Amino acid sequence: MISGVFRRRLWAPVGVLTSLAYLVHQRRVALAEMQGAHGQHPVDRSLLELKMVQVVFRHGARSPLKPLPQEEQVEWNVRLLEVPPQTQFDYTVTDLTGGPKPYSPLDSQYQKTVLKGGMFAGQLTKVGMWQMFALGERLKKSYVEDIPFLSPTFNPQEVFVRSTNIYRNLESTRCLLAGLFPHQKEGPIIIHTDEASSEVLYPNFHNCCSLRKRIRGRRQAASLQPGISEDLKKVKEGLGIASSDEVDFIVLLDNMAAEQAHGLLSFPTLARFTQLIEQRAVDTVLYMQSDDRESLQLVVGPFLHLLENNLLRAVDPANPAGKTRKLYLYAVHDTTLMPLLMALGIFDHKWPPFAVDVTLELYQHQESKEWFVQLYYHGEEQVPRGCPDRLCPLDKFLNTMSVYTLNPEKYHTLCSQAQVMELRNAE
């Protein structure tokens, strides 16, 4: 979970955006015509060739972001920060254009909270490092060993890596890469990141005025909703937390998940409320984001646009073979994954755990030349909304994404609407 951010920056010139929108439209029309011509028929999977993989993953286990207001605090000893030798992997962080690493206001905020034992809030631990290393090993088995899709050494021409500019995510990415590419690298390991003001790998509440206005007060209001309110009172009483303390189910879950991942327990009674806390935390987020399409668009639409563009570039015949990257890695947060799962129609109403991943595989049929998408969550095959089967025709998958996708121009227009209204009202 994250918070944060400030100024606004346009992502691309309007002319580029218009051209890109036209390309998106043309590719969807072509794909739909192709699908209509061929019709739905059983697909011989032996004739499918893997063309591209996109992996969206949450960081590994970390310390809590906000400790519970209790006299007896869990000790977050700095020994938990020891780096396992196997996860060592040199990397450089740049902005999206290859310039210097941007300043991270969120890391500065986290360092203001020092937990008992000496750790800061939100720090990746060695438990989390091992989780991410294991995810990298799983990807290595799938895309290096089981099928020779990726080179066994890191190749920047094959792999693009992007992370939010938060240290636990950068370090999580390091550990994943160490598990995926344990051999000597072929080129510089660059992790790309963006300014907090224009980040789209998490819901940018501070930079999007319309989103901020929609969410304003809804987290506090969620705790007052029937059912949630009674359950919160029961849990706080069971844990000895005063009713006046600003602790909701999201804060409770954050501490509980962090403690459980490290075999720590502040209160024995906390385990008794595990399922209730998780479910009510999910209910709180669902209430905050409400049910309307535009709210979900503002939360995850720009990131869906990135994923969609990668797919469209891969299938564009104008792109020379071998010029499109094979693997895209995105280090995100639980606040990214939940709306992403909702948009794809595969949300299981459970909080995304540490080191969980959503993986999109793009295939082309070697005879018909049709394109298909295979979707995984936590390593399990999924059937996205609007898809007839787990192997989804690309045009149907793009239609599912298009409901919530926002290009940069549309995103900034929607985000600024509330600000324009506020300025007019102030006149």
Side-chain angles (χ1 to χ4, degrees), residues 68 78 109 140 170 195 305 315 340 354 364 375 385 403 423:
L68 296 176
V78 292
Q109 290 179 20
K140 174 166 67 74
L170 296 171
E195 297 277 358
H305 179 73
V315 303
L340 176 61
F354 294 124
Q364 186 177 32
L375 182 67
R385 181 191 296 114
V403 175
L423 290 173

Side-chain angles (χ1 to χ4, degrees), residues 140-313:
K140 174 166 67 74
K141 184 177 187 307
S142 296
Y143 304 118
V144 178
E145 298 174 352
D146 290 352
I147 57 171
F149 178 64
L150 296 173
S151 303
T153 53
F154 182 91
N155 184 343
Q157 300 304 312
E158 291 185 346
V159 184
F160 177 82
V161 188
R162 179 170 172 179
S163 168
T164 59
N165 190 22
I166 299 175
Y167 192 60
R168 63 175 175 272
N169 272 39
L170 296 171
E171 286 290 273
S172 290
T173 305
R174 166 183 63 80
C175 298
L176 183 151
L177 290 170
L180 175 55
F181 299 111
H183 305 294
Q184 185 177 355
K185 62 187 179 183
E186 290 184 6
I189 311 300
I190 304 295
I191 300 178
H192 300 83
T193 191
D194 200 3
E195 297 277 358
S197 58
S198 48
E199 184 60 85
V200 299
L201 298 195
Y202 51 66
N204 206 325
F205 298 105
H206 287 261
N207 192 47
C208 181
C209 187
S210 295
L211 181 58
R212 184 170 64 252
K213 185 175 181 180
R214 286 169 180 266
I215 300 300
R216 184 184 299 154
R218 291 189 68 85
R219 178 167 175 174
Q220 184 177 2
S223 297
L224 303 177
Q225 297 305 300
I228 297 179
S229 175
E230 292 81 0
D231 286 340
L232 182 59
K233 179 181 179 182
K234 179 174 64 177
V235 172
K236 290 174 78 169
E237 288 177 350
L239 297 177
I241 298 175
S243 59
S244 59
D245 286 330
E246 295 184 358
V247 173
D248 60 12
F249 278 111
I250 294 178
V251 174
L252 287 167
L253 177 66
D254 186 63
N255 280 268
M256 183 182 73
E259 290 178 13
Q260 290 180 346
H262 299 89
L264 304 171
L265 197 61
S266 57
F267 270 88
T269 53
L270 192 62
R272 181 161 57 92
F273 296 116
T274 296
Q275 291 184 342
L276 177 62
I277 289 173
E278 179 182 2
Q279 187 54 59
R280 287 310 192 187
V282 171
D283 292 341
T284 299
V285 169
L286 293 177
Y287 180 85
M288 288 170 57
Q289 295 184 355
S290 68
D291 230 356
D292 64 295
R293 174 191 174 203
E294 194 167 290
S295 290
L296 199 54
Q297 283 183 309
L298 291 171
V299 166
V300 77
F303 181 50
L304 284 170
H305 179 73
L306 290 181
L307 301 178
E308 178 188 67
N309 280 349
N310 293 338
L311 291 169
L312 292 171
R313 278 195 295 267

Side-chain angles (χ1 to χ4, degrees), residues 6-66:
F6 317 105
R7 297 162 291 120
R8 191 182 89 182
R9 188 184 75 201
L10 291 177
W11 301 339
V14 173
V16 174
L17 297 172
T18 304
S19 301
L20 189 54
Y22 180 74
L23 173 61
V24 170
H25 172 73
Q26 290 296 96
R27 290 304 303 161
R28 282 188 181 139
V29 170
L31 288 163
E33 290 176 348
M34 179 185 69
Q35 186 65 29
H38 290 280
Q40 297 292 344
H41 53 79
V43 177
D44 184 350
R45 288 178 175 257
S46 67
L47 294 176
L48 293 177
E49 182 182 359
L50 182 61
K51 292 292 190 177
M52 187 182 71
V53 178
Q54 300 186 78
V55 183
V56 183
F57 57 92
R58 188 186 179 195
H59 54 77
R62 54 157 171 75
S63 56
L65 302 182
K66 178 183 177 182

Side-chain angles (χ1 to χ4, degrees), residues 315-336:
V315 303
D316 187 356
N319 286 332
K323 292 298 182 181
T324 303
R325 286 187 170 96
K326 293 183 174 182
L327 176 65
Y328 290 85
L329 296 172
Y330 293 102
V332 300
H333 302 264
D334 47 5
T335 51
T336 319

